[in-house]
């Protein structure tokens, strides 16, 4: 609808301009209005479109021709004002370089420079004298504790009275000796101690050690230690165990690291 209204206005303007073309300058060109694109519709089933009949065209009412208006004095266009460009300024030449003056000839100093006097050190701050001694007042007298109450002593025990001895027990007469049917056992007569030959010859050590280690579980260890003791002490006790007193102290003094008898 907006495009049709614009077209109608343009047509009316063109008609008026044709009538007074010599008085009114041509109208400015109006840029064509681009058609408005409809927004994209979503991809769901389209809705039924109701087709409307186009509206009837507007009725043009013919009006009587108007008297031409007074000529409009067109204004002469004002020429553009050009701003004058600034005049060209030449760059100023650089200032001349001043040449250094030649050094003055060396003149020997006749008088030495004045010696610098050291400033005196600041005065040492002396400590203020200590305050006068104030005598300490004696402490207040210590309160003496009241003596505790006397402890109640227990009454002395009664004097000891000796008990009367019990009456003597009547001794029972021993039973008569029993006469056994069996004959008495024979009296055991102790045999004299066995004497070991000392010193034993080295050739007899092997035979004595075989009888000594006959019942040992570790025969090799027993034979090695027995032969060593026999060569050192020249004695081997009789039997398979014990009887160390039959040999001298040398055989009994042989000890292992575990403080056990080394000689079997």
């Amino acid at each position: 609808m907006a495009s049709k209204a614009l077209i109608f206005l343009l047509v009316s303007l063109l008609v008026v301009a044709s009538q007074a073309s010599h008085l009114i300058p041509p109208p400015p060109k109006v840029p064509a209005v681009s058609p408005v694109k409809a927004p994209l519709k979503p991809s769901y089933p389209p809705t039924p479109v109701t087709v409307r009949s186009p509206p009837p065209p507007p009725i043009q009412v013919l009006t009587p021709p108007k008297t031409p208006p007074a000529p409009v004095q067109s204004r002469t266009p004002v020429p553009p004002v050009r701003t004058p460009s600034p005049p060209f300024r030449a760059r100023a030449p650089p200032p001349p370089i001043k040449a250094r003056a030649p050094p003055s000839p060396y003149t020997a100093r006749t008088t030495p420079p004045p010696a610098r006097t050291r400033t005196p050190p600041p005065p040492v701050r002396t400590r203020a004298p200590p305050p006068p001694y104030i005598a300490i007042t004696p402490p207040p007298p210590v309160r003496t504790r009241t003596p505790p109450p006397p402890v109640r002593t227990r009454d002395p025990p009664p004097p000891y009275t000796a008990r009367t001895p019990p009456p003597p027990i009547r001794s029972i007469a021993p039973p008569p000796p029993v006469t056994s049917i069996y004959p008495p056992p024979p009296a055991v007569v102790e045999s004299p101690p066995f004497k070991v030959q000392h010193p034993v010859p080295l050739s007899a050590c092997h035979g004595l050690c075989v009888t000594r280690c006959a019942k040992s579980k570790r025969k090799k260890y027993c034979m090695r230690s027995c032969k060593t003791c026999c060569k050192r002490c020249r004695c081997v006790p009789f039997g398979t165990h014990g009887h160390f007193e039959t040999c001298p102290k040398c055989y009994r003094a042989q000890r292992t690291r575990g403080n056990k008898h080394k000689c079997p």
Side-chain angles (χ1 to χ4, degrees):
M1 296 297 287
S3 62
K4 289 181 179 181
L6 287 172
I7 292 168
F8 178 72
L9 288 172
L10 288 173
V11 170
S12 61
L13 287 172
L14 287 172
V15 170
V16 174
S18 63
Q19 292 177 2
S21 59
H22 63 282
L23 296 174
I24 302 171
K29 294 182 179 181
V30 179
V33 179
S34 61
V36 180
K37 293 182 179 181
L40 297 175
K41 294 182 180 180
S43 60
Y44 50 80
T47 56
V49 179
T50 58
V51 179
R52 294 182 181 179
S53 60
I59 301 169
Q60 296 181 2
V61 179
L62 297 174
T63 57
K66 294 180 180 180
T67 57
V72 180
Q73 295 179 359
S74 61
R75 294 181 181 180
T76 56
V78 181
V81 180
R82 292 183 180 181
T83 56
S85 60
F88 177 74
R89 292 181 181 180
R91 291 184 181 180
I97 300 169
K98 294 181 180 180
R100 292 183 180 179
S104 59
Y106 176 74
T107 56
R109 292 182 180 179
T110 55
T111 57
R116 295 180 180 177
T117 57
R118 294 184 178 179
T119 57
V124 181
R125 294 181 181 179
T126 57
R127 294 183 178 179
Y133 175 74
I134 300 171
I136 299 171
T137 56
V142 181
R143 295 180 181 179
T144 56
R145 294 182 179 180
T146 55
V151 181
R152 294 180 180 179
T153 57
R154 293 182 179 180
D155 297 333
Y160 176 74
T161 55
R163 293 181 180 181
T164 55
I169 299 171
R170 294 179 182 179
S171 60
I172 301 171
V178 178
T179 56
S180 62
I181 303 170
Y182 302 101
V188 179
V189 180
E190 293 182 358
S191 61
F194 182 81
K195 293 182 179 181
V196 180
Q197 184 182 359
H198 183 74
V200 176
L202 294 176
S203 59
C205 282
H206 181 73
L208 293 172
C209 287
V210 168
T211 57
R212 183 69 175 175
C213 299
K215 295 182 179 180
S216 177
K217 294 180 180 179
R218 303 171 63 186
K219 288 188 178 182
K220 290 184 179 180
Y221 175 75
C222 181
M223 287 292 293
R224 185 171 65 248
S225 57
C226 180
K227 288 181 180 179
T228 304
C229 294
C230 182
K231 290 178 182 178
R232 290 179 183 176
C233 303
R234 307 291 294 278
C235 180
V236 177
F238 69 94
T240 57
H241 181 72
H243 306 291
F244 293 108
E245 67 277 356
T246 56
C247 280
K249 188 178 180 181
C250 172
Y251 193 89
R252 288 172 283 169
Q254 299 292 328
R255 296 277 180 175
T256 59
R257 292 182 181 179
N259 199 18
K260 294 181 181 180
H261 282 290
K262 184 177 182 179
C263 302

